Amino acid sequence: MVDSDALHSAVTAQIEGFASAADGGVRSVLVKTLDAPRLTAAHQADLVLPAASLAKMILGVALFESAERGEIDPGARVRIDSLPGTMYPSVLQAFDPDSTVTVRELCGFALVTSDNPAAEHLRAILGQGRIDTTIKALGLHSTAFPAGFSERELGPLGRANTTTAEDMLRLIEYVDRAPHLEPVRRYLVNYLRNDRIPSRLDDDVPVRHKTGSLRGIVNDAGIVLHPAARIAMVFLTEGQSDNVRTAQEIGEVSERIVRIIAEGAAL
């Protein structure tokens, strides 16, 4: 029989250890198992922090919610040369300028590669009204998404997109259970920036997740699809002195938490 108190204490100790290593910055963590053994452990999960590219998951949900209502055609085609440019690497540079892709495919690029021009076009198609409606409908009461992903908005303005670990958990749980969001689930499990949560897990353990980064901000949110138990994890940070080190620490603590829960589930 699983000792629930011991399991909770072990996971909480890992979370507190990660949070206390913030080196002057702030770290918010929320871990929840979606199968037995049931467990929820957190550190400052209600703290409002910059979302960075985690907000792109909201765009994906808003797109397919709007498509369900018949408001947007995800199969509509868009010319590559009509999309906004960027100084950063973009998967769209692999296409000829006169090529076309569908809105659905742009959503895939935004979530599989975190492509900023694709995300910007989705944001323009949706409009602020549909984005805010989605945030409200999902009960993301501490989330705000007023800025986009253009170069102009990726500095101080980009930090206006805020959320909490609690809100991100609600979002990824909704993506997990809503039938019409199967494309979003497929995009997230194929996310190419496979650092942070998945970085130290075995290659055969899928992780459906999305990262977010700005200077001093190292975020990740997703679900570890472990055979023993599905484990939702959210990491939000701010004021990190070394983004690379924080990303490594997220991977290390994620591996330890998954191992603790998997061993507990086996009892």
Side-chain angles (χ1 to χ4, degrees):
M1 179 180 293
V2 177
D3 186 335
S4 299
D5 291 339
L7 190 64
H8 185 273
S9 295
V11 172
T12 298
Q14 292 297 327
I15 291 173
E16 293 298 331
F18 170 79
S20 66
D23 191 24
V26 177
R27 295 179 175 182
S28 170
V29 185
L30 180 54
V31 174
K32 179 182 178 181
T33 57
L34 305 183
D35 310 294
R38 294 290 181 178
L39 175 147
T40 302
H43 175 84
Q44 297 191 104
D46 60 349
L47 191 64
V48 177
L49 293 169
S53 284
L54 294 188
K56 290 171 183 171
M57 289 193 290
I58 297 173
L59 292 178
V61 172
L63 173 66
F64 287 98
E65 298 277 278
S66 299
E68 278 286 292
R69 297 191 295 267
E71 298 171 358
I72 290 177
D73 176 12
R77 303 202 70 86
V78 181
R79 280 179 60 102
I80 294 295
D81 58 8
S82 71
L83 298 172
T86 179
M87 63 180 285
Y88 299 104
S90 169
V91 68
L92 300 176
Q93 293 300 314
F95 295 87
D96 292 332
D98 59 353
S99 298
T100 63
V101 295
T102 66
V103 171
R104 182 186 296 106
E105 289 166 338
L106 285 176
C107 182
F109 295 143
L111 294 180
V112 173
T113 74
S114 205
D115 192 271
N116 285 336
E120 271 295 272
H121 191 76
L122 288 179
R123 186 168 173 266
I125 290 173
L126 288 163
Q128 193 65 44
R130 290 192 183 96
I131 293 170
D132 289 343
T133 295
T134 298
I135 289 170
K136 182 177 180 180
L138 297 185
L140 310 183
H141 303 302
S142 299
T143 296
F145 191 178
F149 302 97
S150 66
E151 263 81 291
R152 181 182 66 84
E153 296 170 299
L154 291 178
L157 181 59
R159 294 169 189 260
N161 294 333
T162 55
T163 191
T164 64
E166 290 176 340
D167 278 5
M168 282 295 103
L169 176 65
R170 290 189 190 96
L171 178 64
I172 60 179
E173 285 190 294
Y174 181 69
V175 171
D176 182 61
R177 66 176 182 265
H180 62 285
L181 295 182
E182 185 280 330
V184 176
R185 292 192 289 274
R186 177 161 40 88
Y187 301 151
L188 294 175
V189 83
N190 285 287
Y191 184 46
L192 293 181
R193 299 187 181 185
N194 243 2
D195 64 346
R196 303 179 200 182
I197 291 174
S199 63
R200 292 183 175 269
L201 300 179
D202 291 341
D203 291 341
D204 59 352
V205 177
V207 180
R208 189 191 299 146
H209 76 124
K210 180 75 185 69
T211 65
S213 304
L214 291 168
R215 185 180 296 277
I217 294 169
V218 187
N219 296 341
D220 202 359
I223 299 175
V224 178
L225 304 173
H226 195 280
R230 294 175 303 146
I231 307 166
M233 294 184 173
V234 182
F235 296 88
L236 301 180
T237 73
E238 188 175 24
Q240 304 303 292
S241 60
D242 185 335
N243 278 29
V244 173
R245 186 177 65 193
T246 299
Q248 291 172 341
E249 290 173 356
I250 289 173
E252 291 165 358
V253 73
S254 296
E255 188 276 333
R256 292 193 294 268
I257 289 171
V258 169
R259 178 160 33 87
I260 290 167
I261 293 172
E263 289 173 355
L267 295 177

